[in-house]
Amino acid sequence: MKTYLVGGAVRDRLLGLPPGDRDFVVVGATPEAMLARGFRPVGRDFPVFLHPDTGEEYALARTERKTGRGHRGFVVHADPSVTLEQDLERRDFTINAIAEDETGALLDPFGGLPDLQARVLRHVGPAFVEDPLRVLRAARFLARLAPLGFTLAPQTLALMREMVAAGELTDLTPERVWQELARALAAPRPSAFLHTLRACGALAVVLPEVDALYGVPQRAEFHPEVDTGVHIELVCDMAARLAPGDDIVGFAALTHDLGKALTPADVLPRHVGHERAGLAPLRALCERLKVPNEHRALAELACREHLVMHRFDELRATTVYALLQRCDGLRRPERVRRFALVCEADKRGRAGHAEDDYPQGRALLAALAAAQSVRAGQVADDGLQGPALGAALERARIAAIAAATGKRP
């Protein structure tokens, strides 16, 4: 019985990245032997155990055989005869198929170390095509690793195109698509996720509403990048810079301009009313992928209100208060903060504008703080109740916003 550290823990240490969860492969063991040592079983599809002291995962070495479509269509075989190399061979990318033994020695039967040095994401072998989820995983890994200089091996991209053309991605469950999307949006460079999926044809399958934005022109005086799809890539990367790791902000950044794909051709490159037009495709996307409620709420808010936010300097205090109400900001101040970040990412996510200031965001947060400072007890001295108290509280909050921002009531 031998134990090896495998996968992301080895890869990230070699790349100098912060360590994450550690996963181990056990060769030459049986489930009974693991139980006898105090390990707790947790695997449903194959034997995985938790260490009795550390809680870390230890999986028995296994092989997989394709028996059906999709990422679940596999039969797993795990017994003491399965070798480490056989276990590593079923993995997705060479940089994830490096193992480290108990002495610290590295075992690399599929060339992961040279690929780490060359900054190449490459599939391990022909079995890559058996799991369509690996198309999304490749794109998601690039969203994380592109800042380190990683690119996709041409042979891997060719396999991904074959998988898409064969219709394999239609078998992916919404939950797994969303999981990969959310992780990509929380990565340092989400544009690499979009770019990779588009390069292999997968973006049109899993995110057709986003794919439709590519090639749609915008007015060059406002958007030097012109192409709306390129703009979305810039906005997503800016959101990742402004709100690192926040996939709620990232999702709103991704979807805030979906309405531009619906602009009639004879109106282009203007996009009058694209904010409202974008709500229908956004809601369809959210329903299809079962997007969590807070992601959806912020995305709808950003889609509908981002142009209002850009014109913040023109708004009166009454209008600012109404915007805060539409944000549900007094109950959910974090949503206001995120909304301001999405709008800032939109404004700075344009070619040549990455370092622009966005005072509108600071002004909105100042307005929120002013409104929050007014409490019901402060305006209830005259025995006001019910609607009369609510109206007085609203007037006091609008006055506080006016005083804090210098705006007319």
Side-chain angles (χ1 to χ4, degrees):
M1 175 175 168
K2 293 184 178 180
T3 300
Y4 301 89
L5 181 66
V6 295
V10 179
R11 176 198 69 225
D12 290 349
R13 180 177 63 78
L14 294 172
L15 287 173
L17 296 173
D21 294 336
R22 301 199 309 166
D23 295 315
F24 296 86
V25 163
V26 183
V27 177
T30 63
E32 293 75 19
M34 300 295 286
L35 294 173
R37 295 183 177 217
F39 285 80
R40 293 180 287 116
V42 294
R44 292 183 300 173
D45 301 323
F46 48 85
V48 178
F49 301 84
L50 298 183
H51 192 282
D53 298 323
T54 66
E56 294 174 319
E57 287 193 0
Y58 286 69
L60 298 189
R62 65 188 188 271
T63 60
E64 296 173 344
R65 179 169 56 87
K66 185 74 170 174
T67 59
R69 289 179 65 87
H71 64 280
R72 294 177 174 173
F74 292 90
V75 170
V76 174
H77 173 69
D79 70 34
S81 68
V82 177
T83 66
L84 175 67
E85 183 169 335
Q86 287 175 315
D87 181 274
L88 296 177
E89 188 176 16
R90 67 174 177 77
R91 296 175 183 269
D92 47 11
F93 305 107
T94 60
I95 63 172
N96 295 335
I98 305 169
E100 181 180 310
D101 69 15
E102 293 167 320
T103 71
L106 296 176
L107 298 95
D108 180 31
F110 300 104
L113 289 171
D115 283 343
L116 277 178
Q117 290 293 325
R119 298 297 195 255
V120 173
L121 187 68
R122 188 191 315 276
H123 63 287
V124 169
F128 180 88
V129 301
E130 295 178 352
D131 186 353
L133 189 65
R134 288 174 170 174
V135 173
L136 300 189
R137 282 173 58 82
R140 189 251 297 170
F141 272 117
L142 286 169
R144 183 174 184 234
L145 298 177
L148 299 180
F150 272 82
T151 59
L152 187 63
Q155 305 93 321
T156 304
L157 177 59
L159 283 183
M160 291 163 60
R161 286 174 174 157
E162 291 177 14
M163 295 164 72
V164 174
E168 289 285 341
L169 270 65
T170 60
D171 294 315
L172 291 175
T173 63
E175 292 81 3
R176 295 309 296 271
V177 174
W178 169 252
Q179 183 181 54
E180 295 299 321
L181 172 60
R183 294 177 73 178
L185 292 172
R189 194 172 295 172
S191 64
F193 178 81
L194 300 175
H195 181 79
T196 303
L197 291 186
R198 190 160 181 264
C200 69
L203 191 63
V205 178
V206 297
L207 290 171
E209 299 87 352
V210 177
D211 186 69
L213 296 172
Y214 286 87
V216 176
Q218 305 165 108
R219 293 172 64 182
E221 64 267 37
F222 300 123
H223 287 277
E225 69 282 356
V226 180
D227 190 304
T228 306
V230 174
H231 169 58
I232 292 301
E233 292 183 0
L234 293 171
V235 175
C236 286
D237 285 353
M238 183 57 66
R241 173 179 164 184
L242 297 174
D246 192 331
D247 54 273
I248 299 178
V249 171
F251 181 68
L254 175 70
T255 58
H256 79 283
D257 264 352
L258 294 184
K260 288 183 177 179
L262 304 177
T263 301
D266 61 339
V267 178
L268 294 173
R270 299 172 68 242
H271 292 279
V272 178
H274 74 275
E275 319 93 280
R276 292 285 175 180
L279 292 173
L282 170 58
R283 288 165 181 163
L285 188 160
C286 289
E287 288 296 321
R288 188 176 70 252
L289 297 187
K290 298 178 172 54
V291 174
N293 289 338
E294 187 55 32
H295 291 73
R296 177 171 180 161
L298 182 67
E300 289 197 13
L301 178 66
C303 180
R304 190 180 62 243
E305 307 285 355
H306 63 277
L307 291 190
V308 174
M309 182 63 179
H310 294 336
R311 299 193 302 267
F312 192 89
D313 290 346
E314 305 168 19
L315 305 182
R316 298 179 63 169
T318 302
T319 311
V320 172
Y321 180 74
L323 175 60
L324 290 173
Q325 290 291 84
R326 294 196 296 275
C327 295
D328 198 11
L330 293 172
R331 291 196 311 151
R332 294 180 170 87
E334 182 64 14
R335 184 179 295 171
V336 178
R337 186 190 70 82
R338 284 186 164 123
F339 170 65
L341 289 173
V342 175
C343 294
E344 181 174 353
D346 178 36
K347 203 69 171 178
R348 295 172 61 182
R350 297 176 297 149
H353 290 272
E355 303 307 320
D356 285 4
D357 191 22
Y358 193 70
Q360 296 96 317
R362 297 190 296 275
L364 180 67
L365 297 182
L368 174 63
Q372 288 176 312
S373 70
V374 180
R375 302 294 180 181
Q378 299 171 240
V379 297
D381 297 337
D382 299 326
L384 297 176
Q385 296 181 359
L389 175 59
L393 185 59
E394 179 176 310
R395 289 193 298 271
R397 285 173 171 163
I398 291 171
I401 291 172
T405 61
K407 293 181 174 295
R408 291 181 297 161

